[in-house]
Amino acid sequence: MIYLSDNVRNKMKKFLKIISFLILVVSLGKQIVAQADSLRANVEALPIFSYDSDIGFGFGGKLFLFDVIKTKESFDLILFNSTKGEQWYKFVFSIPDFESRHGKKFPISLDLVVEYDKFNKYYLYTMLYDFDQTTGSMKIIEPKTETKYEKANLGIFLSKGFLKDFTGTLGLQFKSFSFYNVQDNPLIFYEYDRLKPEEKSYASLLLNCKWDARNSFINPKSGILAHFELEYNGEISSGSEKYIRMLLSFQYYKEIFVKNLIAAFRFIRETTSSLDNSSTFSKIPIGGSSNLRGYPLDRYRFGEMILVNGELRFPIWWKFGGIAGFDFVTGSVDEDFDNKNLINAVLGLRFFMDNFIVRADVGVSKETTGIYFNFGHIF
């Protein structure tokens, strides 16, 4: 029986540190500065000093190596810590590299992902009905409680480029989630046992098909992406929970009016269907830097949702660019509550490197203002 225990998580963190050391040794030993035929740097390193409304001030580094062993492979490493206690370590190995195989027919590719993320200060949000003594009726309240949250992921993905623009992927993942040290909140004491950590480990099988006619994987300026994903998740530790996640998405990019002024849109329809018992971890997290940037991290967890993102991307100076746009989500927590319709405006700054993009976003909603730092366009 496979289970990502504390011992395994510690080994994963040690593995990431060893990988980072080996990559640094390779990069220094090769002393490669650039590859003329691809116009992409072989080695790009970036120190991280950032601020995020959810995790505070952050520090760390990102290292990206491309084609160091002359097979069009890439090594991507992130080591990150923050003043509010986030520890984020991520390693991705791809052969051939995502950008190298983009827009090509290829026989097979391999992607290995190892990721560990821990939040020492994380908020669990809950929706409940409560009796209002003033009106004598029930009302919806949304209390939150502070906890520690940990997640780890090991994924192996095999892809084939059947056509220049059509790719299929089969993936196997082992995922672990846990929260513990739940702070006392009298409104939700019956939701979680504060003395017993909530832990779930899943094995998942993923099928992904996409038609990708964008002109670039890293920084698309034209084209479309149509994407279907189906994932089966089964709990490893007890086998009592099984669910299916389905995602349909469409992305569109077009240069408008003047050179390098790009209109970009994304539409996602995502659902989770429990085949047995369901838990918090089987829901779709909404809020934060990956979808709804004007709301706190994982503000809601929906069973189904529709997400729309729109951005106007424009150059500023040198390698800097900016975006202005919006994020919109409609979805439901469960059948006991009406759909939530959430929207925010967003402004952002981009720094373009050869192999990745650095982004900083400010999202503004009626609930709060979110400040987020991350890598890559949100879509």
Side-chain angles (χ1 to χ4, degrees):
M1 182 173 66
I2 302 171
Y3 180 71
L4 294 179
S5 62
D6 291 339
N7 184 43
V8 173
R9 291 172 189 152
N10 290 332
K11 288 182 179 179
M12 288 176 67
K13 288 189 282 185
K14 290 179 181 178
F15 170 77
L16 288 170
K17 291 177 181 178
I18 292 170
I19 288 293
S20 65
F21 175 76
L22 291 176
I23 292 176
L24 285 170
V25 169
V26 171
S27 64
L28 292 174
K30 293 274 186 181
Q31 295 183 351
I32 300 171
V33 293
Q35 182 179 346
D37 63 343
S38 68
L39 301 180
R40 292 175 60 188
N42 292 94
V43 180
E44 288 191 309
L46 181 74
I48 301 172
F49 300 98
S50 65
Y51 177 78
D52 187 301
S53 53
D54 289 319
I55 62 174
F57 291 96
F59 55 92
K62 179 179 173 71
L63 178 66
F64 192 97
L65 303 183
F66 171 64
D67 201 32
V68 295
I69 57 177
K70 303 304 181 184
T71 58
K72 300 294 184 182
E73 83 298 332
S74 65
F75 301 85
D76 189 359
L77 178 71
I78 298 173
L79 302 175
F80 181 82
N81 286 267
S82 80
T83 53
K84 289 186 179 180
E86 185 186 11
Q87 301 169 45
W88 179 35
Y89 312 119
K90 184 175 182 180
F91 170 72
V92 180
F93 170 74
S94 299
I95 183 169
D97 165 72
F98 286 103
E99 184 74 8
S100 296
R101 70 192 192 226
H102 178 79
K104 296 181 178 68
K105 183 179 178 180
F106 58 89
I108 193 168
S109 67
L110 169 68
D111 302 299
L112 171 67
V113 179
V114 183
E115 185 173 11
Y116 172 83
D117 203 357
K118 179 181 179 181
F119 299 86
N120 284 318
K121 189 174 183 180
Y122 177 85
Y123 288 106
L124 282 168
Y125 297 87
T126 308
M127 290 183 65
L128 302 169
Y129 282 105
D130 188 44
F131 182 73
D132 189 336
Q133 294 182 348
T134 303
T135 62
S137 61
M138 300 299 290
K139 66 176 182 179
I140 296 175
I141 59 172
E142 300 183 14
K144 68 178 182 180
T145 186
E146 185 180 323
T147 183
K148 296 181 185 294
Y149 179 48
E150 232 178 320
K151 55 183 179 179
N153 179 45
L154 171 63
I156 300 174
F157 306 89
L158 295 175
S159 303
K160 178 178 174 60
F162 294 96
L163 301 171
K164 179 176 72 73
D165 296 326
F166 181 72
T167 304
T169 300
L170 189 64
L172 178 64
Q173 296 184 89
F174 299 98
K175 300 181 285 187
S176 175
F177 305 91
S178 66
F179 56 79
Y180 50 94
N181 289 3
V182 179
Q183 300 300 306
D184 190 18
N185 186 329
L187 291 173
I188 55 175
F189 75 95
Y190 51 86
E191 289 283 315
Y192 310 105
D193 185 345
R194 294 189 300 114
L195 302 179
K196 183 181 178 182
E198 179 82 9
E199 295 182 320
K200 295 284 184 180
S201 293
Y202 303 94
S204 81
L205 185 64
L206 178 143
L207 175 65
N208 179 313
C209 299
K210 65 180 180 180
W211 181 271
D212 191 350
R214 299 174 297 172
N215 71 321
S216 170
F217 176 83
I218 297 172
N219 186 27
K221 296 182 178 181
S222 64
I224 64 170
L225 168 63
H227 173 207
F228 169 76
E229 191 167 278
L230 184 66
E231 183 181 21
Y232 171 83
N233 294 266
E235 188 184 353
I236 298 171
S237 53
S238 66
S240 62
E241 183 182 353
K242 303 177 185 68
Y243 70 94
I244 293 174
R245 183 181 64 86
M246 186 176 69
L247 180 146
L248 289 168
S249 74
F250 179 80
Q251 298 175 25
Y252 176 76
Y253 307 84
K254 184 175 177 59
E255 187 177 76
I256 58 173
F257 305 131
V258 296
K259 185 178 180 180
N260 291 327
L261 181 62
I262 309 301
F265 296 94
R266 177 176 70 169
F267 170 89
I268 292 179
R269 168 64 171 168
E270 188 172 5
T271 64
T272 60
S273 302
S274 295
L275 304 178
D276 212 320
N277 299 320
S278 64
S279 72
T280 301
F281 306 119
S282 65
K283 303 295 185 181
I284 305 162
I286 296 296
S289 66
S290 64
N291 46 46
L292 199 62
R293 289 164 285 185
Y295 286 80
L297 177 67
D298 300 350
R299 176 62 177 85
Y300 295 96
R301 288 182 179 267
F302 289 157
E304 58 181 34
M305 66 91 177
I306 292 174
L307 167 69
V308 181
N309 305 105
E311 291 185 352
L312 190 64
R313 300 173 179 174
F314 50 88
I316 296 177
W317 169 75
W318 191 45
K319 293 187 176 183
F320 289 94
I323 68 100
F326 69 92
D327 306 322
F328 171 77
V329 169
T330 180
S332 61
V333 176
D334 58 42
E335 63 275 5
D336 294 328
F337 301 95
D338 294 334
N339 272 26
K340 282 279 186 181
N341 297 309
L342 310 168
I343 191 169
N344 64 252
V346 62
L347 292 173
L349 183 67
R350 302 291 182 266
F351 181 71
F352 301 97
M353 301 184 72
D354 286 352
N355 297 294
F356 59 90
I357 294 170
V358 184
R359 66 178 167 97
D361 290 322
V362 178
V364 181
S365 69
K366 65 179 183 181
E367 179 171 321
T368 188
T369 297
I371 301 174
Y372 295 104
F373 173 90
N374 215 312
F375 297 99
H377 283 302
I378 189 175
F379 64 95

